[in-house]
Amino acid sequence: MENLDVLKEQILETSIYSYNQGLFAGTSGNLSAFDKESKLVVITPTSIRYDKMKADDIVVIDLEGKLVDGKHEPSSEWQMHCEIYKSRNDVFSVFHTHSPYATAFAVNRRPIPLILIEMVPFLGGEVPVAKFALPGTKKMGIEALKVLDRKFGCLLSNHGVLAIGKTIDESHIRAEYVEDAAKIFHYALNGGVVNIISKDIEEQMMK
Ligand SMILES: [Zn+2]
């Protein structure tokens, strides 16, 4: 369980940091990590404020959602997290936020086009929009997986943001970049013409 305790601490630290950054508000958003040795998921609990959260509030579940360790219920979005770990053996952390600029585009159901060079390495280019699914369902994960493919983040229709990574730090920075790109896209739209980086430049950058 040593690995799991380390992951709990990292999840706590990153959750509090994200709350202070404005990526998380109240009890919304959730963060998890997958431990490949035990095949268990360490995830934020449901309905606990981030500013009051302690390491022992973080829970451990198996891929079917059974509580293995912890005194709370897992995040209500545990099915979305588990669906991603079951389908992608290259993903070990899932980060879900309702960060405001990106969530506004999720309400518009409008992808964030490739407008900034850092979107290539950090997000795999444009940020796509997953089809609407009811919160708390497995379908949330299924729809997200359809658009994620070679992307590292996507918008969830009328809901928020999903970012994936090999580590907690990686999924966190990707969630940050989705919000950053959304914020800049918002201001660029207000300012006039949005010039999108061409496919040709995107391919040159991917080499
Ligand atoms: Zn949510």
Side-chain angles (χ1 to χ4, degrees):
M1 300 293 266
E2 200 180 301
N3 270 356
L4 299 174
D5 286 338
V6 172
L7 291 173
K8 275 188 189 178
E9 288 291 345
Q10 286 178 359
I11 286 181
L12 177 73
E13 201 181 297
T14 311
S15 296
I16 294 170
Y17 186 84
S18 303
Y19 175 80
N20 291 329
Q21 261 185 315
L23 288 179
F24 286 162
T27 66
S28 76
N30 32 75
L31 165 60
S32 74
F34 181 66
D35 174 46
K36 49 189 158 184
E37 273 170 44
S38 62
K39 307 253 182 291
L40 294 172
V41 178
V42 185
I43 188 165
T44 47
T46 189
S47 311
I48 306 276
R49 292 187 59 90
Y50 293 102
D51 51 350
K52 305 265 189 295
M53 206 176 272
K54 302 273 176 291
D56 67 355
D57 288 321
I58 312 286
V59 304
V60 181
I61 56 172
D62 68 14
L63 283 170
E64 305 311 316
K66 194 172 143 265
L67 193 67
V68 175
D69 176 35
K71 52 186 183 182
H72 304 289
E73 290 292 311
S75 157
S76 58
E77 294 297 357
W78 68 266
Q79 292 202 74
M80 171 173 74
H81 292 249
C82 290
E83 204 51 36
I84 292 169
Y85 296 130
K86 281 186 206 169
S87 308
R88 294 275 302 257
N89 58 14
D90 59 332
V91 175
F92 300 102
S93 179
V94 173
F95 211 112
H96 166 54
T97 78
H98 296 180
S99 61
Y101 285 89
T103 303
F105 286 114
V107 171
N108 298 140
R109 299 192 185 174
R110 181 172 186 169
I112 305 166
L114 179 58
I115 49 166
L116 304 166
I117 48 167
E118 65 263 26
M119 290 174 75
V120 177
F122 286 103
L123 300 175
E126 161 182 300
V127 181
V129 185
K131 280 198 182 136
F132 182 80
L134 283 173
T137 62
K138 191 168 139 175
K139 193 165 184 279
M140 290 266 300
I142 295 170
E143 292 301 337
L145 282 161
K146 284 185 196 164
V147 298
L148 280 171
D149 193 24
R150 267 178 259 161
K151 305 282 182 184
F152 308 134
C154 70
L155 304 179
L156 305 168
S157 287
N158 297 79
H159 188 152
V161 174
L162 187 75
I164 53 175
K166 290 196 190 314
T167 61
I168 294 168
D169 282 347
E170 202 171 65
S171 67
H172 174 220
I173 198 164
R174 288 169 174 175
E176 280 182 304
Y177 271 108
V178 172
E179 182 61 4
D180 186 56
K183 193 175 190 174
I184 292 166
F185 185 40
H186 167 85
Y187 287 123
L189 283 169
N190 288 342
V193 176
V194 174
N195 294 297
I196 295 168
I197 295 172
S198 69
K199 205 78 207 155
D200 179 48
I201 292 178
E202 182 178 4
E203 274 158 23
Q204 284 182 48
M205 285 189 65
M206 286 211 234
K207 276 177 199 160

